[in-house]
Amino acid sequence: MKRPLPTALTLTIAFLGVALSVGPGYAQAPEAVPYAIPGVENRALIWVAAQMHILFAAFILGAPIFVVISEWIGMRKRDPRYDRLAKEVTKVTAILYSMTALTGGLFILFLVGLYPSLTAFMVSHFFPIFAVVYPLLFIAETLVLYLYWYTWDTLTGEKKGRHVAIGVLLNIVGLTTLAVINAPTSFMNTPPHPIETATLWESVYNYSWMPLNLHRTIGNITFGGFITGMIAAYMYMFSKTPEERAYYDWMGFVGNLIGVGASLLLPLAGYILAAEFFDYDASIGPYMMADQLSMYFEMQGALVGLIFMASNLYIWLSMKRITGIETLKLFGIPSIAIVKLGFAIILIGNAIWMTPHGFSATQATATEALELPSDWGFLALMPAKNTAAGLIVLVTIINYIIYNRAIRRGTIHWGKIDFMSQFVLIFLAFSAIWTMGLMGAVRSLVRKYFHVYILFPDYTPESYTPTLAHASILVTAMTLVFFGVVSFAIWLSLGAGKAKGS
Amino acid sequence: MMGQKSFLDIIKWKLVGSVIIGTGLWFASGALGFPTVFRIMFVLYAVLGFFMFVLLDLPPMPELSGGKAIGALLVFYLLCSAVYTGAGVNLPQFDPEWEKGKIQKIIEAKKRAHPSITPQELNQQTKALSAKTDDLMERLAKLEETMTGKSTAGEGPSAEELAKKKAAMAAGGIPSDPVAYGKEVYELYECYNCHKIGGKGSVKKRGPMLDNIGNLATVEQLKKKIYDPKYLMADGFEKEFNKGLMPKNYPELISEGELDALTAYLVSLKNTSVETPKPVLKK
């Protein structure tokens, strides 16, 4: 053997050839090719399908959490308003449930048609979950939800406790479903290494799974609370009697309380999720905060600031309808003055919260002319942001304390709230949905030009980071569609339906 | 309930206050050296504050019902949509063309190296195949050694040379000047997000400035550092080093051909006027 290596080379080439022509030799069906609609980006289609699905799913998973608590409070306090709130929200949930299934189906069809190889990879990687666990949970969720709804008027009195128990079961199933579907989602962000030897459990329990579970659960409650506020606002605007008004005024107040209450925890949950991403791969940090996605976060800062401002404005308007608030003092200072000072603090907090390190959407072209002066760079760093968020949260809590003191001393006139407050409630729902759409896109985009980070490259023409303008237009459109559907569901379940019934 | 005031009464002092605060912020931030965009932003905060305090004191809004309420809702939705879309459109935008070109380059290089594979399967297949071929080559080389009783060095291309060729192929059409190509690789993999060269890049100073790295490290050391960040530490960056800031996934992203070019570029950086920290070997 004089020249052995060429033989080796031939062998290798032959081996490569065999390895590449996988499958039998007879006439082959062509490989699944991604479907393309002229003029429409596949990414935009899958984006819309996924986001719409998540909006509906978030509501049907988030609402039952406070619904069952409300029902339980109603049972304990013997206050029928809580039970009515729980029941009405569940009625809307039942209608939106079908939308969740519909958009979910659409999402899967789009995945298969537009991203066949990715879908095949994901389904086979998580086969037991997609084939067995998830369908079973979905069936269970459907059964328990309908059970919960249809036994509302039969499991009463002595049996009310059993109904609440069904509600708790509904939440257990719902949260499990959320956690299960979060597994493939978070896997795409932070797959375990090395993937070849990772067990199914390691793929499920990946770096960002728990943070995502936490973030989405809290987010869903916030979102459900603000949507409840919106339901109340609609019903308030169109209710005919003072009693109805009084009730829906109250419901709006509770909705805002749930929304704000849960959102106080959201910055922390978001921080944990982001920290976990950075820990997984530090280059995600600049991608999010300094480079391609930095202006998405600027937008998020503005949205979160406005949400807190609006929900405190709502509390303020709620206070104005309490007689006796004018004379209420806290530490010898008129409470009205404290609330106004609070707004000044919120404003300053927001200003710090919204100030970015610079106004350039990439570090590659960042110049001093667009960046904070280095002495003031701290304004853009975590300690400053945390202080700002802490201040805003503190003011919100103080406002609720003042509100509580006021209702204990004075009289609250339910149904007499400034009409503007109803627009504030709707603004809150709108902003919450918008923020969710934007940040959902961010979670997806931090995978950069991969479908599954570093593991499965995105070879489609749309693997680049979309502009904030493009994202904003899509998110606005989706928010409007969602509002349209929810408005219809509210009208159907609480408006038109009731007019016929009573 | 508050007493009714005229609209002018409500806004009068708030307007005066906001103008004073806004003007104050404009000049103070100018004196403190804030760039214009930030100064505009500060003034906008004052405007926002004005609107917020006016909203607080407005008399109750007239109640709407029926068609008027629906109309008001629609207008309100349009307004919210316009404000949010407008904000998103008007903030600085990341130009997709820039990234598209980059991603194209990365992907083209990989496609060129493996023309027969459908792009979707590329990643998994390359990994599995290269492991298999390497294994095969190794076994063949061993077989040969035992058969011929001597090393194959000098007879045809060695396994090492082949591996080099493969890496070169994987890198695609390499520009003739490795330093220029290396600069491109540096940009491609966005090292500038954490490092500064020639005053450009990471404003937040995540990682060291690399302007003088050519005088401090060898090609071999740099290669090892990029493929295994724990190999060496920039002096004075203990905290960042221990946190593992420098990404460890470059072996999966940067091909050997690209690494050759990247390090050729890095060792060419010999600007002694910039303080690049000394590398401290850790392994």
Side-chain angles (χ1 to χ4, degrees), chain A residues 2 4 117 234 245 281-282 292 316 320 326 340 351 355 363 369 371 418 431 455 459 465 468-469 476 483, chain B residues 1 35 41 45 56-57 61 63 77 84-85 88 93 99 119-120 122-123 125 144 155 190 203 245 249:
Chain A
K2 270 266 155 109
S117 45
Y234 273 3
R245 282 220 155 174
D281 179 344
Q292 285 94 324
W316 164 256
K320 274 182 161 180
E326 304 91 339
K340 285 206 166 163
T355 300
Q363 288 289 290
E371 295 284 330
D418 184 343
S431 307
L455 195 67
Y459 286 112
T465 312
L468 178 59
T476 302
F483 258 86
Chain B
M1 319 242 154
M41 185 171 185
Y45 289 150
L56 293 186
D57 286 348
M61 177 183 168
E63 309 221 331
Y77 285 143
Y84 284 166
T85 315
Q93 306 289 318
E99 201 182 34
Q120 279 83 357
L122 179 74
N123 201 45
Q125 292 203 354
E144 237 162 62
E155 288 181 68
E190 303 179 347
V203 179
L245 260 191
N249 51 31

Side-chain angles (χ1 to χ4, degrees), chain A residues 349-414:
Chain A
N350 273 349
I352 299 173
W353 180 254
M354 282 192 246
T355 300
H357 62 85
F359 281 96
S360 54
T362 170
Q363 288 289 290
T365 57
T367 61
E368 306 290 334
L370 294 170
E371 295 284 330
L372 278 176
S374 51
D375 286 351
W376 294 87
F378 70 89
L379 279 178
L381 296 183
M382 268 340 270
K385 302 292 178 205
N386 287 341
T387 312
L391 278 178
I392 297 172
V393 167
L394 188 71
V395 169
T396 309
I397 292 171
I398 291 177
N399 278 344
Y400 270 110
I401 293 175
I402 294 177
Y403 179 90
N404 258 335
R405 288 269 176 98
I407 48 173
R408 248 183 267 142
R409 300 262 203 88
T411 344
I412 185 159
H413 300 278
W414 290 116

Side-chain angles (χ1 to χ4, degrees), chain B residues 43-55:
Chain B
V43 172
L44 285 179
Y45 289 150
V47 176
L48 182 67
F50 170 73
F51 280 115
M52 192 186 71
F53 278 101
V54 169
L55 273 184

Side-chain angles (χ1 to χ4, degrees), chain A residues 68-336:
Chain A
V68 72
I69 296 174
S70 178
E71 189 189 10
W72 180 74
I73 295 176
M75 184 176 86
R76 297 295 301 268
K77 280 184 147 181
R78 308 201 174 282
D79 183 341
R81 289 184 301 182
Y82 286 96
D83 195 67
R84 183 171 168 192
L85 181 146
K87 195 176 167 190
E88 290 190 349
V89 173
T90 307
K91 204 170 176 184
V92 178
T93 305
I95 292 189
L96 295 185
Y97 194 80
S98 53
M99 286 306 291
T100 311
L102 183 82
T103 47
L106 200 66
F107 178 40
I108 294 182
L109 281 182
F110 278 8
L111 270 178
V112 173
L114 306 177
Y115 297 90
S117 45
L118 169 68
T119 311
F121 169 72
M122 290 300 287
V123 170
S124 63
H125 195 78
F126 286 97
F127 193 70
I129 286 178
F130 283 120
V132 185
V133 180
Y134 194 64
L136 283 180
L137 279 168
F138 201 80
I139 294 168
E141 173 85 11
T142 314
L143 290 178
V144 181
L145 176 64
Y146 286 117
L147 188 68
Y148 187 56
W149 172 242
Y150 282 103
T151 54
W152 207 295
D153 296 325
T154 49
L155 291 179
T156 51
E158 288 284 276
K159 294 184 197 148
K160 189 68 174 164
R162 275 187 231 170
H163 192 256
V164 173
I166 298 177
V168 172
L169 180 66
L170 177 65
N171 276 299
I172 294 173
V173 179
L175 288 175
T176 314
T177 313
L178 178 70
V180 164
I181 205 63
N182 279 349
T185 311
S186 53
F187 168 85
M188 291 171 81
N189 279 113
T190 55
H193 276 298
I195 189 69
E196 290 81 7
T197 55
T199 61
L200 180 62
W201 176 243
E202 279 163 353
S203 289
V204 169
Y205 198 168
N206 63 71
Y207 244 74
S208 59
W209 184 51
M210 272 303 164
L212 188 65
N213 287 337
L214 183 72
H215 195 300
R216 281 191 164 170
T217 304
I218 299 173
N220 290 355
I221 301 174
T222 308
F223 176 67
F226 285 136
I227 298 292
T228 300
M230 169 186 152
I231 297 174
Y234 273 3
M235 299 308 290
Y236 182 92
M237 285 184 172
F238 295 102
S239 54
K240 302 266 185 302
T241 64
E243 295 78 39
E244 287 289 281
R245 282 220 155 174
Y247 165 69
Y248 284 115
D249 184 3
W250 173 85
M251 181 173 171
F253 182 81
V254 176
N256 182 51
L257 180 65
I258 297 165
V260 188
S263 68
L264 296 183
L265 298 171
L266 265 187
L268 183 68
Y271 185 67
I272 294 174
L273 181 59
E276 213 67 14
F277 281 159
F278 301 169
D279 206 29
Y280 181 80
D281 179 344
S283 75
I284 295 177
Y287 181 78
M288 271 169 64
M289 310 309 280
D291 219 40
Q292 285 94 324
L293 294 179
S294 55
M295 287 298 125
Y296 281 65
F297 277 88
E298 182 54 21
M299 190 75 199
Q300 182 232 29
L303 286 160
V304 172
L306 285 176
I307 286 176
F308 273 102
M309 232 177 209
S311 53
N312 279 288
L313 174 61
Y314 181 84
I315 306 173
W316 164 256
L317 294 173
S318 308
M319 285 178 188
K320 274 182 161 180
R321 61 151 139 65
I322 303 172
T323 41
I325 184 108
E326 304 91 339
T327 55
L328 180 71
K329 286 187 177 176
L330 224 64
F331 310 113
I333 309 166
S335 56
I336 302 259

